[in-house]
């Protein structure tokens, strides 16, 4: 009698740019879920260095940040024995599928993307074609691996939707080409805001005092949180419309403690903002300190990091090649004679 085969795990794909040191926003909105999902899914996580070229980078800094990003992902608890971890530029299929998909994506849909509008306003001297076509490369990332789910922060929902639209359009012409992915956006902490301007999301490309980086040491964390913008009514209450600063601090506290914002607010009711800030700072320090210890040890072991990258690139490349061959065949490109 034949052994029953184990049910196939669903595939998860997500990416993060090595455009700086990741922030508490990256961790709360994305990275902590990546860690949690490893057991139940086949996870593939990518440091998307090609995407980072859409904004000018110092070459030396980009190289350093890419390796640090890998070490931080490992420090957060991603396990290369069960999860594929790699750099986007090491798997050429991303750039190749990007080209094909760009011929199936409309200028109109790309020009509606909020991130393009925001980034082109911020980098008005460098509105390059890569910035405009950014979502096409992201769609290639996801579709290459036939991913079912894409865990991201709320700011990336629009990009996953355009990826779905392109996949559906492509499948309409060439049935069975791609799995159509769903975004996975966790309800709590999907958007963490800047500490200085709680109308904007916390971003690693902004000014230092607006975010907490995962490598900020305790004194820096305490100082930044003490200086976070609140309001003048003095009441600890979750109300993002009228109290965005306080609500953002409650979001951070709730996400890291695994409680609801309502419970966190209730536990601090009647206390001042000083107590709220102390509680947030302590919880952040308790979360980051063990991670930083693991990061320091990993950064001291470059051969190990390189081995993880080599293995991840091989594993990713194997999967990516299968999709790419299928796509090339479907659109009518001739196979290379062997
Ligand atoms: P940059 O500021 O350089 O554009 P970023 O930090 O906004 O970068 P990525 O590094 O590409 O963006 O983000 C990786 C993941 O972190 C994405 O899933 C994104 O949705 C999530 N993320 C980024 N910022 C936040 C935030 N402030 N709150 C929640 N999730 C976030
Ligand atoms: N665009 C994302 C990063 C990113 C990504 C991806 C996320 C690139 N490719 C594929 C999920 C899946 C960002 O800016 N946060």
């Amino acid at each position: 009698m034949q052994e029953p085969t184990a049910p196939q795990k669903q595939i998860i794909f997500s990416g993060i740019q090595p455009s700086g040191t990741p922030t508490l926003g990256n961790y709360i909105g994305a990275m902590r879920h990546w860690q949690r999902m490893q057991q139940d899914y086949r996870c593939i996580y990518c440091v998307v260095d090609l995407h980072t070229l859409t904004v000018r980078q110092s070459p030396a800094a980009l190289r350093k940040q890419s390796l640090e990003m890998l070490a931080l992902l490992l420090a957060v608890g991603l396990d290369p024995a069960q999860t594929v971890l790699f750099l986007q530029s090491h798997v050429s299929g991303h750039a190749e599928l990007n080209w094909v998909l760009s011929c199936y994506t409309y200028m109109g849909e790309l020009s509606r993307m909020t991130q393009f509008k925001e980034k082109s306003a911020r980098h008005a001297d460098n509105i390059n074609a890569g910035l405009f076509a950014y979502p096409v490369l992201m769609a290639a990332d996801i579709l290459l691996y036939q991913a079912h789910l894409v865990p991201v922060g709320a700011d990336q929902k629009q990009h996953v939707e355009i990826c779905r639209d392109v996949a559906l359009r492509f499948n309409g012409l060439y049935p069975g080409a791609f799995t159509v992915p769903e975004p996975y956006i966790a309800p709590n902490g999907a958007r963490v805001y800047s500490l200085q301007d709680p109308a904007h999301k916390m971003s690693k490309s902004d000014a230092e005092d607006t975010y907490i980086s995962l490598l900020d040491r305790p004194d820096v964390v305490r100082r930044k949180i003490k200086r976070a913008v609140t309001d003048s009514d003095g009441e600890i209450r979750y109300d993002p419309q009228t109290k965005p600063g306080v609500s953002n601090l409650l979001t951070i506290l709730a996400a890291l403690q695994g409680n609801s914002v309502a419970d966190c607010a209730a536990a601090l009711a009647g206390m001042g903002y000083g107590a709220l800030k102390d509680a947030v700072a302590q919880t952040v320090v308790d979360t980051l300190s063990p991670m930083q210890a693991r990061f320091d040890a990993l950064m001291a072991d470059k051969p190990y990091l390189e081995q993880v990258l080599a293995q991840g690139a091989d594993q990713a490349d194997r999967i990516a090649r299968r999709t790419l061959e299928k796509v090339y065949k479907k659109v009518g490109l001739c196979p290379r004679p062997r």
Side-chain angles (χ1 to χ4, degrees), residues 254-312:
L256 296 183
Q257 291 188 342
N259 285 330
S260 67
V261 275
D263 285 350
C264 287
L268 290 159
M271 297 189 207
Y273 291 165
L276 169 64
K277 288 182 170 179
D278 284 347
V280 174
Q282 194 55 47
T283 307
V284 172
V285 168
D286 290 345
T287 307
L288 298 191
S289 295
M291 219 185 269
Q292 292 172 357
R294 287 194 291 272
F295 171 83
D296 292 342
L298 285 157
M299 285 304 286
D301 191 355
K302 295 270 156 50
Y304 173 69
L305 295 178
E306 287 183 355
Q307 180 208 317
V308 170
L309 283 182
Q311 171 188 312

Side-chain angles (χ1 to χ4, degrees), residues 240-263:
Q241 296 304 315
T242 61
K243 297 170 69 65
V246 168
S247 301
N248 191 35
L249 292 175
L250 283 170
T251 299
I252 294 171
L253 191 62
L256 296 183
Q257 291 188 342
N259 285 330
S260 67
V261 275
D263 285 350

Side-chain angles (χ1 to χ4, degrees), residues 13-17 48 51 115 134 138 141-142 150 152 155-156 159:
F13 183 92
S14 199
I16 186 162
Q17 297 187 69
V48 290
H51 274 105
Q115 183 172 298
Y134 182 111
M138 177 160 162
D141 297 340
I142 298 167
V150 185
V152 283
D155 61 301
Q156 293 301 311
H159 285 165

Side-chain angles (χ1 to χ4, degrees), residues 16-307:
I16 186 162
Q17 297 187 69
S19 46
T21 308
T23 70
L24 204 55
N26 297 131
Y27 177 73
I28 290 175
M31 291 159 82
R32 71 188 169 122
H33 304 296
W34 297 6
Q35 190 271 341
R36 205 170 36 77
M37 292 169 132
Q38 288 180 108
Q39 257 102 58
D40 298 330
Y41 297 90
R42 174 78 179 124
C43 293
I44 304 172
Y45 298 125
C46 180
V47 177
V48 290
D49 50 0
L50 296 174
H51 274 105
T52 304
L53 299 180
T54 53
V55 171
R56 288 284 171 268
Q57 306 290 331
S58 133
L62 179 57
R63 255 189 297 276
K64 178 164 170 273
Q65 286 158 200
S66 298
L67 210 64
E68 284 182 355
M69 183 62 81
L70 171 74
L72 267 169
L73 292 173
L74 295 167
V76 163
L78 299 190
D79 172 10
Q82 51 179 341
T83 289
V84 179
L85 276 173
F86 69 107
L87 296 191
Q88 188 185 31
S89 61
H90 291 176
V91 178
S92 61
H94 291 252
E96 294 170 77
L97 185 60
N98 172 67
W99 173 255
V100 176
L101 296 182
S102 71
C103 301
Y104 295 82
T105 310
Y106 298 120
M107 304 286 279
E109 54 192 348
L110 289 173
S111 60
R112 284 193 290 275
M113 294 293 111
T114 311
Q115 183 172 298
F116 172 67
K117 290 185 205 160
E118 278 174 9
K119 287 209 174 172
S120 50
R122 227 185 311 152
H123 304 277
D125 54 337
N126 181 23
I127 306 177
N128 59 70
L131 193 63
F132 186 65
Y134 182 111
V136 183
L137 181 57
M138 177 160 162
D141 297 340
I142 298 167
L143 300 180
L144 261 186
Y145 300 94
Q146 307 287 351
H148 299 92
L149 271 185
V150 185
V152 283
D155 61 301
Q156 293 301 311
K157 184 163 186 267
Q158 204 181 26
H159 285 165
V160 181
E161 271 159 13
I162 199 174
C163 169
R164 285 173 54 84
D165 291 344
V166 172
L168 286 166
R169 183 175 307 142
F170 201 90
N171 284 350
L173 293 163
Y174 315 104
F178 297 125
T179 301
V180 181
E182 299 274 349
Y184 170 86
I185 297 166
N188 198 357
R191 207 184 285 267
V192 176
Y193 293 92
S194 156
L195 297 177
Q196 291 302 316
D197 176 6
H200 285 108
K201 77 159 191 165
M202 182 181 281
S203 168
K204 58 178 133 60
S205 312
D206 287 346
E208 254 284 318
D209 59 343
T210 64
Y211 64 83
I212 292 180
S213 113
L214 297 190
L215 295 180
D216 280 346
R217 305 290 155 162
D219 55 322
V220 178
V221 170
R222 293 207 168 85
R223 193 182 66 234
K224 285 182 177 175
I225 290 183
K226 196 167 277 171
R227 290 190 190 154
V229 166
T230 50
D231 53 55
S232 55
D233 86 2
E235 194 188 340
I236 299 177
R237 183 162 48 84
Y238 183 76
D239 181 350
Q241 296 304 315
T242 61
K243 297 170 69 65
V246 168
S247 301
N248 191 35
L249 292 175
L250 283 170
T251 299
I252 294 171
L253 191 62
L256 296 183
Q257 291 188 342
N259 285 330
S260 67
V261 275
D263 285 350
C264 287
L268 290 159
M271 297 189 207
Y273 291 165
L276 169 64
K277 288 182 170 179
D278 284 347
V280 174
Q282 194 55 47
T283 307
V284 172
V285 168
D286 290 345
T287 307
L288 298 191
S289 295
M291 219 185 269
Q292 292 172 357
R294 287 194 291 272
F295 171 83
D296 292 342
L298 285 157
M299 285 304 286
D301 191 355
K302 295 270 156 50
Y304 173 69
L305 295 178
E306 287 183 355
Q307 180 208 317

